Amino acid sequence: MLRIKWELLLMAIICWQRGHTDNHEAKKRLGHVTVVVVGGTGDLARKYLWQGFFQLYADQVGKGHTFSFYGGGLSPSEKGTPLLFGILKELACPQELSAERCTLVKDQFLHLSKYHQLKTTEDYEKLSQQIKQQLGQEGMVEAGRFFYLSVPAFAYADIAEKINNTCRPPSDAWLRVVLEKPFGHNLYSAQALDKKLSDQLKEKEMYRIDHYLGKQVVSKILPFRKENKKLLDPIWNKHHIERIEIVLKETLDAKGRIQFYDQYGVIRDVLQNHLTEVMTLLLMNLPANLSNSMEILQNKLNFLASLQHVDNSNAVVGQYQAYNGEVQEELNKTKDYFSLTPTFAGVVINVNNAQYEGIPIFMTSGKALDERVSYARVLFKNNVFCIQDPKNVQCKSKQIIFYLGHGNLQYPAILVSKNLFKPELLNSGDWKEVTEYKDVNVLGLPLCDYYIQSPVTPREAYCELISHVFLGRKDSFISAEGLLASWAFWTPLLEDLSRVFPRVYPGGEANGNLLNFQLQGHQVAFSHEAVVNVINPSTEDNFQVMQGKYRSSEMVSAWAQELVERLASDLLLAAEEAIREEGQFHLALSGGSSPVALLRALALNLYTFPWRNTHIWQVDERCVPHTETGSNFRSIHDLLLQYIHIPYFHIHPMPVHLTQRLCVEEDGGPALYEKEINKHVNGSNFHYVLLGVGQDGHTASLFQDTKLENDEERLVILTESPIKPHQRMSLTFTAINRARRVGVLIMGKSKHELVSQLSRIKGESSKYPITKVQPKTGTLIWYIDYDALLG
């Protein structure tokens, strides 16, 4: 009994101490907050920001904090003041306030707001003095300073320096600076911007805003997954999810903002930030504590690191028809100017982890489309086969939709099809279950086939995020690491697409099926042929595959795509012939850039090519681990092997990494590979060897200075390259010239001079190693595209 009394007393003491500490901390945090909107009379501030700050004031008034609000701009006070108050007078009343209460709160808000010119360092110094003077006159303790930079990104570094040098609060008050996207143009510019900002501001002081994270449905993705964890855990994986779609469609065009849009395009504007954040919240590991910002940000980073590389084979792009004329008009371009900036993009993303491997993530956005709608949809596999009653609920799609608004439904909601499970209701104070159904369909199902949850009171995303900044919540914002990880993922695709002509589409309902795209293996392509030409067709567009002679051997030439398709077709014929005769097809592939397009084409033929009877060998390899991006084998794996069903023992990487060393002569890597060739390849004669040619005339890893005099009968040797990494392993001319067929693939305008030079050389030339490729009993075929042939 005595022990129980002591325990109760101890608990009481602990509770009192906690309460005392919390009250002390609360008192410490209370005080005056200065809000400064830099760019306070601009378009974003007028549409969203001031409404958000008015909502913040309405939420906080009477709770202990005092406020002052400054709208900063480049204009002098006599011009900026009427602009600011014209904006403030139009602010709408928050729904939770009565008309009478709103009038009083709005009058207070207007009284606490003023315009301040913010152009020079002296202007920022005057602002800081004004804040200090107000605090001193009214005897207030400063809680913090809240800067919102609603200005172009190029001005961030300069403003951050001015804030750091002139407007920092005392050490016991906080500083929070909100930065609007875009945060850079690619990985390199984002790194440079981050470096400049981090020289002036601490990471904890920067709040990189993505307004999608403030949308009520997006902010509830993690809580929904947490609340329904027991129901979702068994099905939230590759065995049950068929596909994921993340979509943002707009009916508006880019007119009026071309100067910004033409630099960025749809991927930078929407996919790299908004839609990537939604994808991350859907698929990242659930944090143990949803209020732990650090854990959430770390889990986001871990997920981004698991994304597979994307390039232009994983994307389709389009441009609405009027866009180029708008560019010419707004940017004063001539009539022959053509912009390659996409206004539509569809990308398929894959995740490289055991839980989601093989699930295609369709991410798409575009302007001038048929409707305005945004959603994330998780579509589950349905193994029910209905014989007589296809309208039965068990026969319909199984899906969870995070519906952000507009479209058929008009309001934000989370929808779960009734043949999946009934979800737990989110925080009952903020969210409600919808039981009255409109006569509309959402993604293939009538509303009555869904369990639906929706916010009780709609709130603007900026209102939510401004509140989160005030509370110091970092989980709703982009960390520096997360930003750079996202750019690292998207930048290679953006670089690839910089030379791709987007498909032109008319806009709106007239688009029809023109922008539909589909998976082909792990790559994507438009489902239908374009009916509108991107560029004026020339006579060259009528060229078909041409055959002839080059250096006394057979030559096939065509435009790049047709040439690669022809080579892939020839490989298939060679494989079928070899398998009929010997039961196996031995194909040796070279490294470098030449075979990349071919490997992609072969990956699309995963159902028709006889992979189970094919052995893949390497012609040459860099002396780097196979896991590194510089490895030729890594390229073959990433572009081909991971997509096809080929027996493990039919894959033969060159052994450049033995006993934890790279290409050391004593380890005998070349002899080991030669032994493997002799063991598997009949007479050591490959059925097909595919080569490329460098601009210096080298092929495989056989260069001008490669010494072969003492290695005439060797099949594999170590060589030295004039460019890094210098050490290589390569098949010899002896091995290459024993092959039944040798194909040499040359593509691109940069190879035109080489092609011309080689055509004038008779026989062998020590300067151009490719001239030593002369199969003894086999055939040599040159595959040269028109760019390389015609220049």
Side-chain angles (χ1 to χ4, degrees):
M1 188 68 178
L2 184 63
R3 181 181 176 185
I4 293 173
K5 286 182 178 179
W6 272 110
E7 287 178 349
L8 289 172
L9 180 60
L10 183 60
M11 287 176 65
I13 292 170
I14 291 171
C15 289
W16 178 86
Q17 286 178 335
R18 284 179 177 170
H20 180 74
T21 302
D22 289 344
N23 288 335
H24 176 72
E25 289 299 318
K27 287 179 181 177
K28 185 179 178 181
R29 286 196 297 269
L30 292 176
H32 189 76
V33 176
T34 303
V35 173
V36 184
V37 183
V38 185
T41 56
D43 193 53
L44 180 67
R46 177 177 58 82
K47 287 181 178 177
Y48 300 108
L49 301 185
W50 285 115
Q51 188 67 52
F53 284 113
F54 182 37
Q55 180 75 59
L56 174 68
Y57 181 70
D59 290 343
Q60 295 297 324
V61 67
K63 294 182 179 179
H65 282 97
T66 56
F67 290 87
S68 57
F69 298 89
Y70 293 91
L74 299 177
S75 302
S77 180
E78 59 271 18
K79 185 176 179 181
T81 298
L83 285 175
L84 176 63
F85 281 91
I87 294 170
L88 300 185
K89 287 175 183 177
E90 297 299 318
L91 295 176
C93 291
Q95 291 186 10
E96 64 272 15
L97 295 184
S98 65
E100 184 179 352
R101 174 67 175 159
C102 179
T103 300
L104 177 62
V105 172
K106 190 170 180 179
D107 283 345
Q108 292 173 341
F109 183 73
L110 289 171
H111 179 72
L112 296 170
S113 303
K114 59 182 68 176
Y115 179 84
H116 193 99
Q117 185 177 25
L118 291 176
K119 189 174 183 180
T120 65
T121 302
E122 290 73 20
D123 292 330
Y124 282 85
E125 289 173 345
K126 288 177 183 177
L127 173 64
S128 184
Q129 289 300 319
Q130 195 166 333
I131 294 170
K132 291 175 184 176
Q133 185 179 352
Q134 181 187 3
L135 290 167
Q137 288 175 348
E138 301 184 21
M140 295 183 292
V141 175
E142 186 165 17
R145 299 184 188 182
F146 185 150
F147 283 82
Y148 199 117
L149 306 194
S150 179
V151 295
F154 65 77
Y156 287 168
D158 178 60
I159 295 172
E161 183 178 9
K162 289 182 170 72
I163 292 171
N164 181 44
N165 292 337
T166 67
C167 286
R168 278 195 169 276
S171 58
D172 56 348
W174 49 257
L175 172 66
R176 293 171 189 153
V177 181
V178 179
L179 306 163
E180 271 284 345
K181 78 172 186 74
F183 313 114
H185 189 262
N186 53 25
L187 175 61
Y188 321 109
S189 59
Q191 288 172 327
L193 178 60
D194 179 62
K195 174 65 170 63
K196 290 178 182 177
L197 289 172
S198 61
D199 286 343
Q200 307 298 330
L201 301 170
K202 300 171 185 174
E203 179 62 23
K204 70 176 183 179
E205 296 171 338
M206 288 186 275
Y207 288 72
R208 299 172 190 84
I209 197 168
D210 183 333
H211 77 271
Y212 252 56
L213 291 176
K215 288 184 177 289
Q216 288 170 292
V217 168
V218 175
S219 68
K220 289 298 183 184
I221 292 176
L222 288 182
F224 175 86
R225 290 179 58 194
K226 189 85 168 178
E227 288 289 330
N228 296 282
K229 189 174 188 302
K230 289 183 180 179
L231 297 165
L232 286 173
D233 273 356
I235 61 173
W236 207 251
N237 55 59
K238 63 186 178 184
H239 302 297
H240 295 272
I241 296 175
E242 180 179 313
R243 62 199 278 175
I244 293 170
E245 301 167 5
I246 305 172
V247 176
L248 170 56
K249 295 169 65 177
E250 297 181 87
T251 54
L252 292 175
D253 56 22
K255 197 170 184 179
R257 58 192 294 257
I258 294 292
Q259 188 166 13
F260 162 82
Y261 197 88
D262 202 55
Q263 295 180 55
Y264 286 87
V266 65
I267 294 178
R268 291 182 175 91
D269 190 39
V270 174
L271 275 71
Q272 180 272 329
N273 37 71
H274 302 330
L275 302 195
T276 299
E277 287 297 320
V278 172
M279 173 180 66
T280 304
L281 292 170
L282 281 175
L283 299 177
M284 63 184 266
N285 287 341
L286 267 178
N289 182 357
L290 292 186
S291 62
N292 187 331
S293 299
M294 292 304 297
E295 186 181 4
I296 289 173
L297 294 175
Q298 186 57 53
N299 287 5
K300 283 185 173 184
L301 283 175
N302 293 342
F303 172 74
L304 289 171
S306 73
L307 296 178
Q308 290 186 12
H309 171 83
V310 290
D311 55 33
N312 59 11
S313 69
N314 306 116
V316 291
V317 290
Q319 184 187 96
Y320 65 82
Q321 200 158 9
Y323 179 81
N324 202 56
E326 293 166 2
V327 170
Q328 293 170 0
E329 180 182 348
E330 293 189 29
L331 301 184
N332 295 318
K333 300 292 185 180
T334 59
K335 291 296 181 183
D336 60 348
Y337 177 81
F338 192 89
S339 170
L340 293 181
T341 300
T343 62
F344 167 85
V347 182
V348 172
I349 298 169
N350 286 276
V351 183
N352 189 23
N353 68 31
Q355 185 174 0
Y356 304 122
E357 185 180 21
I359 300 174
I361 303 167
F362 289 81
M363 188 179 287
T364 188
S365 183
K367 290 188 173 295
L369 301 182
D370 59 325
E371 64 174 335
R372 182 187 180 192
V373 68
S374 183
Y375 61 85
R377 175 197 196 197
V378 182
L379 182 65
F380 293 85
K381 299 172 183 177
N382 192 345
N383 297 323
V384 176
F385 182 73
C386 296
I387 302 297
Q388 291 188 210
D389 187 12
K391 293 184 179 180
N392 183 289
V393 68
Q394 294 302 322
C395 306
K396 297 180 180 180
S397 298
K398 295 181 176 182
Q399 53 195 14
I400 299 174
I401 302 168
F402 298 90
Y403 198 92
L404 277 59
H406 307 291
N408 287 345
L409 193 55
Q410 291 297 311
Y411 57 83
I414 298 175
L415 303 93
V416 180
S417 53
K418 289 183 175 178
N419 58 356
L420 204 53
F421 60 80
K422 182 171 183 178
E424 296 290 330
L425 182 62
L426 290 164
N427 188 321
S428 57
D430 298 331
W431 281 64
K432 64 185 179 183
E433 187 170 358
V434 177
T435 54
E436 295 181 5
Y437 306 120
K438 298 177 182 179
D439 185 22
V440 297
N441 279 29
V442 175
L443 297 181
L445 293 180
L447 282 187
C448 60
D449 282 346
Y450 291 106
Y451 296 111
I452 306 172
Q453 298 182 33
S454 183
V456 173
T457 304
R459 281 173 68 97
E460 275 291 336
Y462 279 99
C463 291
E464 292 288 289
L465 292 174
I466 284 170
S467 172
H468 291 181
V469 177
F470 174 74
L471 296 172
R473 281 184 52 182
K474 294 284 283 186
D475 55 299
S476 301
F477 298 87
I478 313 300
S479 68
E481 298 94 331
L483 172 68
L484 298 179
S486 176
W487 274 123
F489 172 71
W490 286 104
T491 295
L493 174 62
L494 290 164
E495 290 175 347
D496 267 10
L497 292 175
S498 64
R499 298 174 294 277
V500 172
F501 282 90
R503 170 174 288 195
V504 172
Y505 57 96
E509 295 284 349
N511 294 334
N513 59 19
L514 193 61
L515 296 178
N516 292 351
F517 60 97
Q518 65 187 27
L519 272 176
Q520 296 178 344
H522 279 64
Q523 303 176 30
V524 294
F526 283 116
S527 305
H528 302 278
E529 289 298 318
V531 294
V532 182
N533 287 323
V534 173
I535 54 175
N536 294 326
S538 65
T539 54
E540 293 173 342
D541 293 329
N542 298 319
F543 281 17
Q544 302 297 317
V545 175
M546 180 177 72
Q547 292 188 249
K549 290 288 185 180
Y550 180 78
R551 287 186 51 80
S552 303
S553 296
E554 187 178 343
M555 179 190 71
V556 177
S557 193
W559 292 115
Q561 183 175 347
E562 289 80 4
L563 183 69
V564 168
E565 289 174 357
R566 169 60 184 268
L567 176 53
S569 176
D570 288 352
L571 278 173
L572 175 60
L573 292 174
E576 290 172 342
E577 178 186 320
I579 292 168
R580 279 196 304 271
E581 295 176 359
E582 299 181 22
Q584 303 285 334
F585 176 56
H586 291 277
L587 170 64
L589 297 170
S590 68
S593 60
S594 297
V596 167
L598 174 68
L599 295 177
R600 289 174 179 155
L602 290 174
L604 295 180
N605 291 318
L606 68 167
Y607 299 117
T608 56
F609 202 93
W611 294 115
R612 290 196 175 279
N613 300 96
T614 298
H615 287 251
I616 301 290
W617 300 82
Q618 286 190 264
V619 171
D620 65 322
E621 178 60 286
R622 297 178 174 93
C623 292
V624 297
H626 290 140
T627 53
E628 290 190 8
T629 53
S631 163
N632 291 340
F633 180 76
R634 170 72 184 268
S635 296
I636 295 171
H637 172 271
D638 289 354
L639 296 171
L640 177 65
L641 295 180
Q642 66 172 326
Y643 302 129
I644 63 177
H645 297 292
I646 185 170
Y648 174 80
F649 293 108
H650 287 192
I651 302 169
H652 307 277
M654 280 186 159
V656 294
H657 198 185
L658 297 171
T659 63
Q660 298 184 335
R661 301 189 297 185
L662 291 168
C663 294
V664 174
E665 193 83 43
E666 306 91 83
D667 293 337
L672 194 64
Y673 204 56
E674 186 168 326
K675 183 178 180 181
E676 192 171 353
I677 293 171
N678 290 330
K679 177 181 177 181
H680 294 283
V681 182
N682 185 17
S684 303
N685 299 337
F686 290 107
H687 293 113
Y688 205 110
V689 172
L690 179 66
L691 302 174
V693 187
Q695 293 187 34
D696 60 355
H698 83 270
T699 190
S701 283
L702 302 170
F703 299 89
Q704 182 179 344
D705 297 325
T706 302
K707 306 300 181 186
L708 295 172
E709 290 77 6
N710 299 323
D711 300 306
E712 289 185 1
E713 295 306 314
R714 297 279 301 277
L715 302 181
V716 188
I717 58 170
L718 294 176
T719 69
E720 289 284 331
S721 166
I723 57 174
K724 292 183 178 180
H726 297 303
Q727 289 185 299
R728 309 288 179 95
M729 185 179 290
S730 179
L731 295 184
T732 63
F733 289 117
T734 300
I736 293 170
N737 289 330
R738 284 186 185 179
R740 305 270 188 89
R741 289 183 176 88
V742 178
V744 181
L745 179 61
I746 308 178
M747 298 174 67
K749 289 185 178 181
S750 63
K751 300 288 179 69
H752 174 62
E753 186 176 343
L754 172 71
V755 169
S756 299
Q757 189 69 25
L758 290 175
S759 68
R760 292 191 286 268
I761 296 173
K762 305 299 181 184
E764 291 186 16
S765 166
S766 58
K767 184 179 179 181
Y768 297 99
I770 185 64
T771 60
K772 297 182 181 181
V773 175
Q774 299 172 13
K776 293 181 179 179
T777 58
T779 57
L780 171 62
I781 305 177
W782 298 83
Y783 294 87
I784 308 175
D785 77 346
Y786 288 144
D787 281 332
L789 190 66
L790 306 174

